[in-house]
DNA sequence: GTGAAAGCGCTAACAT
DNA sequence: ATGTTAGCGCTTTCAC
């Protein structure tokens, strides 16, 4: 059914080497010969077998991608960027999601290594203490992290400065006059970036001499925001007037839950998210959030990895600038003054971290 | 750096054949020999090279996945389901998005074929007239469509009955008392399912002897809903009181745009979406929508394909039931009567199509 | 239970 | 400019 180089060679009356040269544009082939080969290829519907090539060249022209989940558009966007850059260079993607399961990380990366991917782009739960990264180092597989915060071990990663970003989120709220801040986050255990955002956020509150922010974890699968809200707003006098969510999906849930219990956003409580997923800016109220350039992060990671594979330097990672996007979900603290309201959806570039 | 079967064999003092048998659990190996091999593998950090195996067995244990975009969570969910099922059987995914570009479809599928994927799961822009599907038929590659409507050519596809679903959406609105319906859709040219949904929707309006629904296409990339709304609501007296969107992302945009211009949802205009993406039910108002079981669709497609690869029958496709999810975004027509409002987020199973 | 050897489809010396 | 050939890592007869 499928034909091989040999079939084509026989059909065109040349040797396999010549066909190979023609197909790969390596070495010269006389125009007339090329014509015969072209015709043979067309007649047989020949498609080169990458498996044979890979075995010989010890290279697969495929990149592994391992991320926690596709359910969060932030990762999907990054994968889009990776795919675009990879495809432009003729690379394919072998893809797997781990669903935030550490064992799946190891298993998945192992499988990818068996496929002899040329390099790997991944997000792990903890880059400081990761058997997966050790395995990659040991086997000498080029890799680059994405989203993961830099750790002491200095693993290359393409990310924003999550600490600075968390700090900026707090400052934005403080700038609006909020004095009692809170943060609601997904599992800190499964996300080094959530921890970093929290650290920056809390530090900003301290820097401004505010009371220690309320910080709560919410179970990511059930997204049971209501239980958290009951707790946070138990004591209305000490309840936060502004909440920072560790990601936009959570922020959107939170706003829905608040409004469903009659709390007005932003009039009663301001909300700021993190990620900058597209749906946030199409909502009502539009979501105020710290935007990560996810697509660009994917592109950058892919670019660095591909450069490395093309004989360049090892990936170094990159800290990309985050952007504060002002939407309608965060407003001035206290009695709302319409004149003081932000113009919705105004986008303000903030500093690059580091 | 990486060791081979031969290295292990030498290290353990056995032949490569025996190591191969041990690794693949094919044929018997004496316990003592197995022990030596196990140790050699551990010491050398041996990982079998799938490329060599694939060349020999003419099978890669990898599935191709080609979908229009990862930006819409509905596809991301399906890919999750595919990945889960594939991984459970030890299959890997080679993944590519086409960004709704027909040429990219062909190019991408071609690349995947060169990698000798064992089978392919894909969504095409037009299954009736698709060079890609012809190519797959010609090469005898097992494949199954997903989301695509069945066509005359009877390509196997895992989908909901989009015509019936569009019909149900209209009936739901009509049941709430709406008499003037409208539909806003992404490009019909790039989506056979959008066309099918429209057909069912329009037919239901006719069946109910209503005026022909207003139908408008919106550019998917810019999502410029406002221009459409200006047009649709130009003549308030004839403007629709309920709008059906061809997908949830669009519905969410639409609701935001409506509210931003002071139109209350659902008090003034009801909105119903399509897909059932998670974020819709966390919004305020919660989104009324026709839910596709995306994850399950992915699982079903993967299962049928894998069964086929394991020597079973060719994939037949499947029509999975859709579900109408009643949220807050659709309410009674005319003067809203609080007592008559639906209980939010109540989920009602509807008939399976066909 | 184990080993020897052929060969999957391709590329890259090397030879002509 | 083209042909011959070895061999990439593995599985799988076929012997023993």
């Amino acid at each position: 059914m499928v034909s091989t180089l040999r079939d084509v060679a026989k059909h065109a009356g040349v040797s396999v080497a010549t066909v190979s040269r023609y197909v790969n544009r390596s070495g010269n082939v006389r125009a007339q010969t090329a014509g015969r080969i072209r015709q043979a290829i067309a007649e047989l519907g020949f498609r080169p077998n990458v498996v044979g090539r890979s075995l010989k060249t010890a290279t697969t022209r495929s990149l592994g991608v391992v991320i926690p989940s596709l359910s969060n558009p932030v990762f999907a966007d990054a994968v889009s960027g990776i795919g675009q850059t990879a495809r432009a260079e003729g690379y394919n993607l072998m893809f797997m999601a781990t669903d935030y399961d550490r064992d799946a990380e190891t298993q998945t990366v192992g499988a990818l290594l068996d496929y002899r991917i040329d390099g790997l782009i991944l997000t792990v739960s903890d880059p400081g203490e990761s058997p997966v990264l050790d395995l990659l180092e040991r086997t000498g597989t080029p890799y680059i992290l994405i989203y993961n915060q830099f750790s002491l071990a200095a693993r290359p990663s393409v990310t924003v400065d999550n600490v600075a970003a968390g700090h900026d989120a707090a400052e934005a709220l403080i700038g609006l006059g909020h004095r009692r801040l809170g943060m609601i986050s997904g599992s800190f255990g499964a996300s080094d970036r959530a921890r970093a955002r929290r650290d920056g956020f809390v530090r900003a509150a301290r820097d401004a001499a505010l009371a220690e922010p309320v910080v709560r974890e919410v179970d990511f699968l059930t997204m049971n925001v209501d239980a958290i809200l009951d707790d946070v707003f138990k004591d209305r006098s000490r309840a936060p007037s502004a909440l920072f969510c560790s990601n936009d999906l959570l922020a959107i849930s939170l706003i829905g839950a608040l409004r469903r219990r009659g709390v007005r956003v932003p009039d009663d409580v301001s909300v700021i998210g993190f990620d900058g997923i597209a749906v946030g800016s199409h909502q009502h109220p539009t979501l105020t959030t710290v935007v990560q350039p996810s697509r660009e992060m994917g592109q950058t990671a892919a670019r660095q990895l591909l450069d490395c594979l093309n004989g360049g330097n090892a990936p170094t990672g990159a800290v990309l600038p985050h952007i504060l996007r002002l939407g309608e979900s965060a407003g001035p603290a206290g009695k709302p003054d319409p004149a003081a309201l932000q113009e919705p959806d105004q986008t303000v570039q903030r500093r690059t971290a580091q």
Side-chain angles (χ1 to χ4, degrees), chain A:
Chain A
M1 195 67 225
V2 282
S3 46
T4 71
L5 259 190
R6 257 187 55 194
D7 300 331
V8 175
K10 203 173 301 173
H11 205 84
V14 296
S15 75
V16 288
T18 305
V19 180
S20 174
R21 277 189 282 261
Y22 171 79
V23 169
N24 300 305
R25 289 148 176 67
S26 61
N28 289 337
V29 181
R30 211 178 353 153
Q32 192 196 338
T33 317
R36 292 216 309 282
I37 296 175
R38 182 166 37 244
Q39 191 183 348
I41 287 178
E43 283 174 9
L44 296 173
F46 168 77
R47 303 216 57 122
N49 186 333
V50 173
V51 179
R53 176 183 298 163
S54 292
L55 187 56
K56 177 65 187 177
T57 61
T59 181
T60 54
R61 293 191 80 78
S62 66
L63 262 30
V65 177
V66 176
I67 51 152
S69 162
L70 231 34
S71 302
N72 191 332
V74 81
F75 293 120
D77 288 344
V79 174
S80 285
I82 294 171
Q84 184 194 356
T85 301
R87 176 154 51 139
E89 302 251 330
Y91 277 75
N92 263 41
L93 257 39
M94 301 215 73
F95 169 83
M96 287 270 112
T98 62
D99 295 314
Y100 295 94
D101 175 355
R102 286 164 116 100
D103 290 340
E105 278 179 19
T106 315
Q107 189 206 336
T108 300
V109 170
L112 258 19
L113 288 179
D114 295 349
Y115 276 91
R116 297 301 190 263
I117 47 153
D118 292 338
L120 186 58
I121 299 175
L122 75 171
T123 301
V124 298
S125 38
D126 183 356
E129 169 65 44
S130 170
V132 170
L133 298 183
D134 296 340
L135 176 61
L136 293 174
E137 302 276 10
R138 197 159 0 105
T139 58
T141 312
Y143 74 90
I144 184 164
L145 297 168
I146 185 165
Y147 290 109
N148 282 124
Q149 197 66 9
F150 284 111
S151 66
L152 298 170
R155 321 279 201 181
S157 180
V158 175
T159 173
V160 296
D161 183 335
N162 287 291
V163 176
H167 201 278
D168 285 358
E171 280 188 342
L173 297 174
I174 294 169
L176 288 167
H178 293 279
R179 315 295 298 165
R180 297 188 313 278
L181 308 183
M183 175 175 183
I184 297 187
S185 172
S187 157
F188 289 119
S191 171
D192 58 333
R193 43 269 178 228
R195 294 195 295 274
R197 290 166 203 164
R198 175 198 58 195
D199 293 346
F201 187 78
V202 169
R203 177 140 53 80
R206 287 186 192 145
D207 291 349
L210 301 185
E212 194 75 3
V214 179
V215 177
R216 290 283 184 281
E217 269 179 277
V218 60
D219 179 31
F220 221 69
L221 295 177
T222 61
M223 277 265 200
N224 191 354
V225 177
D226 281 304
I228 302 282
L229 287 182
D230 286 340
D231 178 40
V232 168
F233 290 108
K234 206 165 36 190
D235 179 359
R236 295 288 301 205
S237 67
R238 296 184 45 193
S241 65
L243 290 170
F244 172 42
C245 292
S246 68
N247 69 60
D248 284 351
L249 246 27
L250 194 50
I252 290 170
S253 278
L254 180 72
I255 291 173
L258 284 169
R259 295 176 61 146
R260 228 162 280 124
R261 56 170 68 197
V263 178
R264 294 170 302 168
V265 176
D267 311 65
D268 300 323
V269 173
S270 283
V271 174
I272 182 169
F274 202 105
D275 281 348
I277 62 178
V279 73
S281 51
H282 293 136
Q283 299 247 127
H284 180 82
T286 56
L287 189 60
T288 294
T289 189
V290 180
V291 182
Q292 304 193 70
S294 292
R295 198 182 172 77
E296 190 190 340
M297 285 165 63
Q299 291 169 331
T300 303
R303 173 108 323 281
Q304 288 199 7
L305 193 54
L306 290 171
D307 285 348
C308 166
L309 297 176
N310 291 331
N313 321 8
T316 56
V319 178
L320 268 38
H322 57 273
I323 294 173
L324 185 66
R325 181 156 68 206
L326 300 176
E328 299 157 348
S329 70
K335 255 293 180 253
D337 173 4
L341 280 171
Q342 305 295 320
E343 190 126 335
D345 262 345
Q346 164 188 355
T347 293
V348 179
Q349 168 90 35
R350 302 290 280 209
R351 66 175 160 150
T352 302
Q354 301 261 15

